[in-house]
Amino acid sequence: MMKTIILLTGIASQQFALTELLKAHNPALSFRCAVTAEDLAAIEPDVLRDARLLAFTTSVIVPGRILAALGHGAYNFHPGPPQYPGWAPAHFALYDGARTFGATAHVMAARVDSGPIIGVESFIVPDKISVRGLEQIAYVRLAHLFWRMSRDLACDPLPLTELPIAWCGIKSTRRMYRDMCELPAGISAGELARRIRAFHDDFRGIQLTYSLHGTRFQLATAAPAAPEAPQVISPPLAAAS
């Protein structure tokens, strides 16, 4: 019997809406919320035995021992499509000039973004979108994906149905991101423009830098500009009918 949902989120403020949504489907559930790996490690083994873990926009890697101890599986909501597994997917998609983007729900496995896929949302990338705008739309689609899967996540103790969709593309990493932010000597004007558009974001404190004669220079942060993304209204995180 599934008794508990463990919510692992990127920030604590996300937990209230997600908890209320799941609780509306299954009032008998109890909840444990986590943001850090230490929060997860503090959850008792007897709780894990009757629990399902749901991860939402988190960078925490769940240890294999915790995944194995969960009685009702673990599912991750990744803010990128199956073509962009890994770290900072919106940045790499924008750099590649991707025409479509989206969000993915999948079974959590020991290897990051490798488990079977159970849900997908996709959309056309608007022209001239900024990386922040692309992330905003992806987040809205991810919230909608969670909303439309919420009944099964809260009520069905059995493994959720896997889709015939496979991960593809190169799995991005923090190191790959750092490498893209190190501007090489002799970089072309076109390549510089691509990197500025996709990576001039100070994401997780990583800035675009250039080295000259042993001195490292950082690109100055541009003044805030008007939002380039279309106005997007998030779907209500309410119980599905």
Side-chain angles (χ1 to χ4, degrees):
M1 178 179 177
M2 185 168 66
K3 298 179 180 178
T4 303
I5 294 289
I6 299 169
L7 276 177
L8 173 63
T9 58
I11 54 176
S13 59
Q14 295 170 323
Q15 293 166 356
F16 177 77
L18 300 179
T19 298
E20 290 301 305
L21 171 60
L22 297 167
K23 192 184 299 182
H25 291 301
N26 187 350
L29 285 172
S30 62
F31 291 86
R32 296 288 292 270
C33 294
V35 174
T36 67
E38 291 73 20
D39 294 337
L40 280 181
I43 297 176
E44 302 83 357
D46 59 329
V47 173
L48 297 175
R49 193 178 305 117
D50 297 316
R52 168 173 287 162
L53 188 149
L54 303 178
F56 188 87
T57 67
T58 179
S59 60
V60 173
I61 298 176
V62 180
R65 62 177 180 79
I66 291 182
L67 294 177
L70 289 161
H72 299 279
Y75 300 98
N76 182 50
F77 285 78
H78 170 70
Q83 294 83 2
Y84 284 92
W87 210 66
H91 296 75
F92 287 95
L94 205 61
Y95 176 78
D96 290 342
R99 299 308 305 152
T100 61
F101 199 64
T104 307
H106 65 94
V107 178
M108 296 186 77
R111 291 177 58 247
V112 173
D113 295 345
S114 66
I117 292 171
I118 60 169
V120 170
E121 287 274 326
S122 61
F123 60 90
I124 301 297
V125 176
D127 292 336
K128 299 181 180 180
I129 190 81
S130 68
V131 69
R132 292 292 179 94
L134 185 58
E135 286 183 315
Q136 177 193 16
I137 299 174
Y139 183 88
V140 170
R141 292 303 182 101
L142 192 68
H144 184 264
L145 181 60
F146 192 101
W147 174 79
R148 68 178 175 85
M149 299 185 69
S150 59
R151 183 184 296 277
D152 289 339
L153 292 169
C155 300
D156 189 350
L158 299 176
L160 273 64
T161 302
E162 299 172 8
L163 301 178
I165 300 173
W167 293 100
C168 56
I170 298 173
K171 185 181 299 182
S172 56
T173 64
R174 183 187 295 260
R175 178 54 191 248
M176 290 169 61
Y177 190 99
R178 286 188 179 277
D179 288 345
M180 294 302 292
C181 288
E182 292 284 344
L183 302 176
I187 187 171
S188 69
E191 178 64 12
L192 179 61
R194 287 177 68 193
R195 294 204 190 189
I196 288 175
R197 183 187 181 204
F199 299 103
H200 190 28
D201 188 48
D202 193 24
F203 185 66
R204 305 286 170 84
I206 303 173
Q207 298 176 325
L208 283 173
T209 60
Y210 181 79
S211 296
L212 181 65
H213 304 307
T215 302
R216 287 168 58 86
F217 298 87
Q218 292 181 348
L219 268 70
T221 302
E228 297 178 21
Q231 294 299 310
V232 180
I233 300 175
S234 177
L237 284 175
S241 57

